[in-house]
Each structure stands twice: as C-alpha cells, then as structure tokens.
Amino acid sequence: IRAPDHDRCLSPCQLIVIGRRNAHRLQSIQINISTLFINRNAQVRVKLSSMSILEYNGAAIIAMSGKDCVGIASDNRLGIQYQTVAMDFKKIFKMNDKLFVGLAGLASDVQTLDQLLRFRMNLYELREEREMTPAVFTNLLSNMLYEKRFGPYFCEPVIAGLDEKGVPYLSTMDLIGAQAAAKDFVVAGTCEGNLYGMCETLWKPDLEKEELFETLAQALLASVDRDALSGWGGVVHIITKEGVISRELKGRQD
C-alpha cells in the first residue's frame, strides 16, 4: 500500500496507528479505496485527514452574566469522536460558593486539571486564610497552563463567578493560558460558532436570575442540537449573592 504523496510504502499496521502532531493535533488515517486490481499490483489510495484533539470527546460550555448574578452551563455527553460513551460526564466544577470553572477538551485532562486546581486552591486558602477571588483564580489557572505549554493540557477553561463586590466575572483562555475576559458571555467547546450565534441573539444586559437561566438553557440546547459531538442534556448553575441554583436540562438523545 502506497500513499500518493509519499515515496515510502505504508504497512497495514501503520494504517491503524493514531498519533499526535504539532502537540495539539490528532492525526488519523482513513482509507479510501479508489482502484483495486485483482492481481499482484493491487493499489489502494490513502487519504490523510486530521482533527483537533480538543474535539475528541466533545463539549459545549457557556458562561453568561446577569444582574448581580452569573450563570454557567454545559452539556453532559462524553464521546469518542462520534461514538457516545456516557451521558453524565461532569464538565463544570465548583471551586467555592461564588466561583465555578468549566473545562472543555480531552476528558482525561479535564479530570486531571480539576484535581490540580482543588489542590492549589486548598493550598492558597491555608496560606492566605481567605477564599480565592475569580481574578486570582484566573491568573492561577493561566500560569498552570502556561507552565505546560510544550506539552499542554488539552483543555479550554471557562471561569464564571462573583467578585468580592458581587460583580459578575467572566473569563476564558486557550490551552496555553492566553486569557480573554468578557462582560457579556464566553463559550468553549466543539460548537463554539453555534453558541456564539445563540448567545448574541438571546443575551441582553441586566438579566434577572430566572431570565438568565432561561437564556442559558435555550442557547445551550439550540446549539448542541446542531453538533454531533455534544449534547444529551445539560446542567445550568446560577451563582447569586444568596447562593447557587443548579438545574438539569433534558435534551435530545440521538
């Protein structure tokens, strides 16, 4: 078997190997049989295609601000590309009563980062004798990701919380910690385009907590319905000065 753009031949074993490329790309080999002669000179064309490792398990996360409140929502699906493995995978993690973080990306790195963040937050609270604010947490997470920039965690975090004055705080970053703060909403996952479109359509300033929940729920469900890598319901957390309101969403399961 010979690849069209290469001089060397590929063995059958090499055709099923999946490897990493450029530290953030997953290269998979797909076989496209164009011509097959029933003789010794049988030829098979090999088409190389690549996908982002961030899309391997699928995710959809939104964080949105309201009037003295902030919300964060995610889907529930865990998949291996287009194969669904679980429908209850946790992607949003509570750091304290006024701070949540959502992690979109490779499932193993999501769980690893959650454990590391809890350890670093506990260490901070023991040393400083106070809770970590969203701005400090964002800088901590950004530094953690940048430390591993040559072999990064394949995660795109979304941070949502209320600062010490009760003002909504939203931020996101890429897998090496480049921050991007926002006043209205931030998104991450495999259907970012859908999420941005729905949020720009539905969001408006100074949403009350019930309006914020409805906006988040409608934006999330409408977006994941048009993405094969995310969905299967979701969860929404609304953070207010009085506490946290968490509700589950039922979505399409196909």
Side-chain angles (χ1 to χ4, degrees):
I1 301 174
R2 186 181 298 274
D5 298 329
H6 300 274
D7 294 332
R8 62 186 181 87
C9 293
L10 301 178
S11 67
C13 293
Q14 289 174 306
L15 293 176
I16 61 172
V17 172
I18 296 178
R20 293 187 176 186
R21 184 182 180 186
N22 297 330
H24 70 288
R25 303 292 292 179
L26 179 71
Q27 183 161 351
S28 59
I29 297 179
Q30 299 177 343
I31 303 175
N32 176 23
I33 302 178
S34 59
T35 56
L36 182 60
F37 302 97
I38 312 301
N39 55 33
R40 288 191 221 168
N41 297 322
Q43 296 181 350
V44 178
R45 288 180 179 250
V46 178
K47 179 182 178 182
L48 300 179
S49 65
S50 59
M51 64 165 286
S52 171
I53 187 66
L54 293 168
E55 300 175 359
Y56 187 67
N57 297 120
I61 299 177
I62 318 173
M64 190 177 289
S65 65
K67 184 178 180 181
D68 299 326
C69 60
V70 67
I72 185 169
S74 80
D75 70 317
N76 291 331
R77 181 183 181 272
L78 170 66
I80 299 177
Q81 294 184 3
Y82 296 108
Q83 177 186 356
T84 299
V85 175
M87 291 79 73
D88 57 354
F89 185 70
K90 189 176 180 181
K91 301 172 188 176
I92 297 177
F93 305 94
K94 182 179 179 180
M95 296 292 107
N96 58 47
D97 290 338
K98 294 185 178 180
L99 176 61
F100 279 67
V101 60
L103 300 172
L106 192 63
S108 55
D109 286 353
V110 167
Q111 295 176 330
T112 301
L113 260 183
D114 171 48
Q115 295 172 1
L116 286 173
L117 287 169
R118 291 183 188 280
F119 167 73
R120 297 290 290 271
M121 282 202 65
N122 290 337
L123 195 61
Y124 177 91
E125 290 176 4
L126 284 171
R127 287 178 174 175
E128 300 290 329
E129 297 183 354
R130 56 177 174 167
E131 286 190 342
M132 190 176 289
T133 63
V136 173
F137 177 82
T138 301
N139 290 328
L140 168 69
L141 179 52
S142 177
N143 289 332
M144 286 176 58
L145 294 176
Y146 191 71
E147 286 174 1
K148 300 290 186 180
R149 61 191 178 279
F150 297 115
Y153 296 111
F154 297 120
C155 286
E156 293 179 328
V158 171
I159 298 104
L162 297 176
D163 64 15
E164 57 272 14
K165 297 180 181 179
V167 177
Y169 180 92
L170 297 175
S171 182
T172 185
M173 60 190 75
D174 63 6
L175 73 170
I176 59 169
Q179 300 180 31
K183 298 293 184 182
D184 44 10
F185 53 82
V186 291
V187 305
T190 53
C191 56
E192 278 188 346
N194 300 345
L195 293 169
Y196 271 121
M198 289 304 303
C199 290
E200 288 170 356
T201 302
L202 300 177
W203 183 85
K204 59 183 180 181
D206 297 329
L207 290 167
E208 297 292 341
K209 58 185 179 181
E210 289 300 325
E211 293 178 311
L212 181 61
F213 164 75
E214 190 67 25
T215 302
L216 274 170
Q218 293 296 336
L220 180 70
L221 292 177
S223 299
V224 299
D225 281 352
R226 292 160 179 81
D227 179 42
L229 297 175
S230 59
W232 290 76
V235 60
V236 180
H237 304 283
I238 306 296
I239 308 163
T240 66
K241 296 178 181 179
E242 294 77 28
V244 179
I245 303 169
S246 298
R247 294 172 181 166
E248 293 184 355
L249 304 176
K250 185 176 181 180
R252 289 179 55 173
Q253 299 184 350
D254 56 2

